[in-house]
Amino acid sequence: MDGTAFIVILAIAGVASVLLFALKGLLDQIPDVIDSAGRARDSWQRFKEPELPSSAEDEESPVAA
């Protein structure tokens, strides 16, 4: 019986270790996901509202004769 309890304790500790490792990996990815979402939002806003050309671009440049 003592050997079984020892194996159960080791198994529980192993499962907890794997779960903590997986959780740490997931939490490490959150900042990158937030940054990507911000870049996607900015790109979408630029796509929906294109910039108007400035007046300097509308003027004709002087032609050298």
Side-chain angles (χ1 to χ4, degrees):
M1 192 70 181
D2 291 332
T4 304
F6 186 68
I7 296 295
V8 169
I9 290 171
L10 284 176
I12 292 172
V15 169
S17 174
V18 168
L19 288 176
L20 287 174
F21 185 75
L23 181 63
K24 181 190 178 302
L26 181 66
L27 292 176
D28 285 344
Q29 294 177 4
I30 290 175
D32 294 332
V33 170
I34 292 171
D35 291 341
S36 294
R39 287 193 306 269
R41 184 190 64 231
D42 293 342
S43 295
W44 181 251
Q45 288 175 350
R46 284 194 311 268
F47 174 74
K48 286 177 63 175
E49 299 174 5
E51 293 180 12
L52 298 175
S54 65
S55 60
E57 293 175 356
D58 291 339
E59 296 175 4
E60 294 182 16
S61 58
V63 178

